[in-house]
Amino acid sequence: ERAKIAQKDIQDKTKNKNVNVLLADVGEPSHIERVVKEFTDKEDKLDCLVCNAGALFNDRRVNSNGQEVTFMSHLVCGSYQLTKLLLPSLKQSPANEARVVFVSSGGMYNSKFPEWEVAASSGKYESDYNGNIAYSYAKRGQVLLAERFTKDYPEVAFVSTHPGWVRTAAVDGAYGDSAKYLEPFRNLWEGSEGIAWLTATPKKNLESGAFYLDRSPQRKHIAGLFMTDGSFTKNSEKEVDVMMKKLEECVGV
């Protein structure tokens, strides 16, 4: 229902009826496979992919495979699997202008990407689940994903971005009364304008692998007494190698 309302709103404001909706649960690997097939059955190319869907639950919830949903929706399925399966379509974009935008968060500044079992709150770490921390791990993972995909697939631009703190129902649900400490909030346009620019600006204006806020690349690490880059939130190449291997094993691509 929400998708249909958004579809009609876009069609009415743009006077363009060629706006279509494909529905999937981005926390479910099988849904990603299905929706990609639905897309590729209809379209020969993809110019831009924005990975912005996800969920943040304060209580640990799992998908049909028993995998924690916050981590799966933001990183594993909603970013990694979706992008990998759509790479052939992205490579067909004319004039070499294809790009992928991972909508991360300032929450990623809180942590490096940990061991896989910790990030996925699996095994002995199930009882330690914390929604905000799981979200932080997934968002750091998106930043690392943009960096690694930039190296692996140079014909496509990959960026991550922080929309700023926007007052949404999801933020209120996740932070409750603590949301007041994130003020002043941005409105929806202020949060989305920079993302829209990343989708539309010529590719030559993009720094592939960078982390953006308001059209400009930002530092990816802020730590220590003097808020310098530090090393607390930095991952080694070997650690990123392990993350990528685990992602591949998790969804089979």
Side-chain angles (χ1 to χ4, degrees), residues 60 115 117-118 121-129:
R60 188 178 186 275
E115 294 181 6
E117 290 74 16
V118 175
S121 67
S122 59
K124 66 180 182 180
Y125 297 103
E126 286 187 15
S127 60
D128 296 332
Y129 175 77

PDB file of all heavy atoms in Angstrom, residues 60 115 117-118 121-129:
ATOM      1  N   ARG A  60      15.878  -8.796  19.005  1.00  0.00           N
ATOM      2  CA  ARG A  60      16.467  -9.601  17.937  1.00  0.00           C
ATOM      3  C   ARG A  60      15.374 -10.356  17.186  1.00  0.00           C
ATOM      4  O   ARG A  60      14.648 -11.155  17.751  1.00  0.00           O
ATOM      5  CB  ARG A  60      17.482 -10.592  18.509  1.00  0.00           C
ATOM      6  CG  ARG A  60      18.282 -11.333  17.446  1.00  0.00           C
ATOM      7  CD  ARG A  60      19.297 -12.272  18.081  1.00  0.00           C
ATOM      8  NE  ARG A  60      20.157 -12.886  17.061  1.00  0.00           N
ATOM      9  CZ  ARG A  60      19.839 -13.974  16.368  1.00  0.00           C
ATOM     10  NH1 ARG A  60      18.671 -14.564  16.585  1.00  0.00           N
ATOM     11  NH2 ARG A  60      20.677 -14.471  15.464  1.00  0.00           N
ATOM     12  N   GLU A 115      34.207  -9.320  13.976  1.00  0.00           N
ATOM     13  CA  GLU A 115      34.126 -10.693  13.485  1.00  0.00           C
ATOM     14  C   GLU A 115      32.695 -10.963  13.019  1.00  0.00           C
ATOM     15  O   GLU A 115      31.735 -10.420  13.564  1.00  0.00           O
ATOM     16  CB  GLU A 115      34.520 -11.675  14.580  1.00  0.00           C
ATOM     17  CG  GLU A 115      35.969 -11.583  15.008  1.00  0.00           C
ATOM     18  CD  GLU A 115      36.304 -12.600  16.087  1.00  0.00           C
ATOM     19  OE1 GLU A 115      35.432 -13.439  16.394  1.00  0.00           O
ATOM     20  OE2 GLU A 115      37.419 -12.550  16.627  1.00  0.00           O
ATOM     21  N   GLU A 117      30.516 -13.410  13.273  1.00  0.00           N
ATOM     22  CA  GLU A 117      29.525 -13.901  14.231  1.00  0.00           C
ATOM     23  C   GLU A 117      29.037 -12.785  15.155  1.00  0.00           C
ATOM     24  O   GLU A 117      27.879 -12.784  15.573  1.00  0.00           O
ATOM     25  CB  GLU A 117      30.099 -15.063  15.053  1.00  0.00           C
ATOM     26  CG  GLU A 117      30.308 -16.354  14.273  1.00  0.00           C
ATOM     27  CD  GLU A 117      31.503 -16.286  13.330  1.00  0.00           C
ATOM     28  OE1 GLU A 117      32.345 -15.370  13.485  1.00  0.00           O
ATOM     29  OE2 GLU A 117      31.576 -17.127  12.426  1.00  0.00           O
ATOM     30  N   VAL A 118      29.904 -11.853  15.469  1.00  0.00           N
ATOM     31  CA  VAL A 118      29.510 -10.710  16.296  1.00  0.00           C
ATOM     32  C   VAL A 118      28.577  -9.802  15.503  1.00  0.00           C
ATOM     33  O   VAL A 118      27.519  -9.390  15.990  1.00  0.00           O
ATOM     34  CB  VAL A 118      30.760  -9.916  16.761  1.00  0.00           C
ATOM     35  CG1 VAL A 118      30.332  -8.655  17.521  1.00  0.00           C
ATOM     36  CG2 VAL A 118      31.638 -10.785  17.638  1.00  0.00           C
ATOM     37  N   SER A 121      25.272 -11.325  15.073  1.00  0.00           N
ATOM     38  CA  SER A 121      24.716 -11.767  16.371  1.00  0.00           C
ATOM     39  C   SER A 121      24.236 -13.212  16.288  1.00  0.00           C
ATOM     40  O   SER A 121      23.092 -13.532  16.605  1.00  0.00           O
ATOM     41  CB  SER A 121      23.592 -10.841  16.857  1.00  0.00           C
ATOM     42  OG  SER A 121      22.455 -10.904  16.025  1.00  0.00           O
ATOM     43  N   SER A 122      25.138 -14.070  15.841  1.00  0.00           N
ATOM     44  CA  SER A 122      24.818 -15.484  15.692  1.00  0.00           C
ATOM     45  C   SER A 122      25.597 -16.319  16.702  1.00  0.00           C
ATOM     46  O   SER A 122      26.526 -15.837  17.349  1.00  0.00           O
ATOM     47  CB  SER A 122      25.145 -15.956  14.263  1.00  0.00           C
ATOM     48  OG  SER A 122      26.518 -15.761  13.966  1.00  0.00           O
ATOM     49  N   GLY A 123      25.184 -17.589  16.841  1.00  0.00           N
ATOM     50  CA  GLY A 123      25.867 -18.479  17.762  1.00  0.00           C
ATOM     51  C   GLY A 123      25.831 -17.970  19.192  1.00  0.00           C
ATOM     52  O   GLY A 123      24.780 -17.557  19.704  1.00  0.00           O
ATOM     53  N   LYS A 124      26.978 -17.951  19.828  1.00  0.00           N
ATOM     54  CA  LYS A 124      27.038 -17.543  21.236  1.00  0.00           C
ATOM     55  C   LYS A 124      26.768 -16.061  21.438  1.00  0.00           C
ATOM     56  O   LYS A 124      26.619 -15.601  22.580  1.00  0.00           O
ATOM     57  CB  LYS A 124      28.400 -17.904  21.823  1.00  0.00           C
ATOM     58  CG  LYS A 124      29.572 -17.142  21.219  1.00  0.00           C
ATOM     59  CD  LYS A 124      30.874 -17.576  21.869  1.00  0.00           C
ATOM     60  CE  LYS A 124      32.078 -16.798  21.309  1.00  0.00           C
ATOM     61  NZ  LYS A 124      33.355 -17.223  21.951  1.00  0.00           N
ATOM     62  N   TYR A 125      26.680 -15.292  20.322  1.00  0.00           N
ATOM     63  CA  TYR A 125      26.459 -13.853  20.435  1.00  0.00           C
ATOM     64  C   TYR A 125      24.984 -13.455  20.293  1.00  0.00           C
ATOM     65  O   TYR A 125      24.665 -12.272  20.330  1.00  0.00           O
ATOM     66  CB  TYR A 125      27.296 -13.115  19.386  1.00  0.00           C
ATOM     67  CG  TYR A 125      28.784 -13.305  19.566  1.00  0.00           C
ATOM     68  CD1 TYR A 125      29.486 -14.174  18.734  1.00  0.00           C
ATOM     69  CD2 TYR A 125      29.473 -12.636  20.578  1.00  0.00           C
ATOM     70  CE1 TYR A 125      30.854 -14.365  18.911  1.00  0.00           C
ATOM     71  CE2 TYR A 125      30.838 -12.828  20.754  1.00  0.00           C
ATOM     72  CZ  TYR A 125      31.521 -13.692  19.916  1.00  0.00           C
ATOM     73  OH  TYR A 125      32.870 -13.882  20.099  1.00  0.00           O
ATOM     74  N   GLU A 126      24.111 -14.431  20.122  1.00  0.00           N
ATOM     75  CA  GLU A 126      22.689 -14.120  19.976  1.00  0.00           C
ATOM     76  C   GLU A 126      22.154 -13.343  21.171  1.00  0.00           C
ATOM     77  O   GLU A 126      21.413 -12.364  21.019  1.00  0.00           O
ATOM     78  CB  GLU A 126      21.877 -15.408  19.794  1.00  0.00           C
ATOM     79  CG  GLU A 126      22.004 -16.051  18.435  1.00  0.00           C
ATOM     80  CD  GLU A 126      21.053 -17.220  18.265  1.00  0.00           C
ATOM     81  OE1 GLU A 126      20.102 -17.349  19.085  1.00  0.00           O
ATOM     82  OE2 GLU A 126      21.250 -18.016  17.329  1.00  0.00           O
ATOM     83  N   SER A 127      22.520 -13.762  22.360  1.00  0.00           N
ATOM     84  CA  SER A 127      21.989 -13.127  23.572  1.00  0.00           C
ATOM     85  C   SER A 127      22.563 -11.743  23.805  1.00  0.00           C
ATOM     86  O   SER A 127      22.041 -10.977  24.624  1.00  0.00           O
ATOM     87  CB  SER A 127      22.267 -14.014  24.797  1.00  0.00           C
ATOM     88  OG  SER A 127      23.668 -14.206  24.966  1.00  0.00           O
ATOM     89  N   ASP A 128      23.640 -11.398  23.087  1.00  0.00           N
ATOM     90  CA  ASP A 128      24.259 -10.080  23.248  1.00  0.00           C
ATOM     91  C   ASP A 128      23.682  -9.050  22.283  1.00  0.00           C
ATOM     92  O   ASP A 128      24.157  -7.913  22.229  1.00  0.00           O
ATOM     93  CB  ASP A 128      25.773 -10.178  23.002  1.00  0.00           C
ATOM     94  CG  ASP A 128      26.472 -11.053  24.030  1.00  0.00           C
ATOM     95  OD1 ASP A 128      25.965 -11.138  25.159  1.00  0.00           O
ATOM     96  OD2 ASP A 128      27.510 -11.649  23.683  1.00  0.00           O
ATOM     97  N   TYR A 129      22.655  -9.425  21.528  1.00  0.00           N
ATOM     98  CA  TYR A 129      22.131  -8.543  20.483  1.00  0.00           C
ATOM     99  C   TYR A 129      21.723  -7.175  21.017  1.00  0.00           C
ATOM    100  O   TYR A 129      21.046  -7.049  22.042  1.00  0.00           O
ATOM    101  CB  TYR A 129      20.925  -9.186  19.798  1.00  0.00           C
ATOM    102  CG  TYR A 129      20.263  -8.274  18.780  1.00  0.00           C
ATOM    103  CD1 TYR A 129      20.827  -8.085  17.525  1.00  0.00           C
ATOM    104  CD2 TYR A 129      19.093  -7.577  19.098  1.00  0.00           C
ATOM    105  CE1 TYR A 129      20.243  -7.240  16.600  1.00  0.00           C
ATOM    106  CE2 TYR A 129      18.496  -6.733  18.171  1.00  0.00           C
ATOM    107  CZ  TYR A 129      19.076  -6.572  16.932  1.00  0.00           C
ATOM    108  OH  TYR A 129      18.497  -5.729  16.013  1.00  0.00           O
TER     109      TYR A 129
END
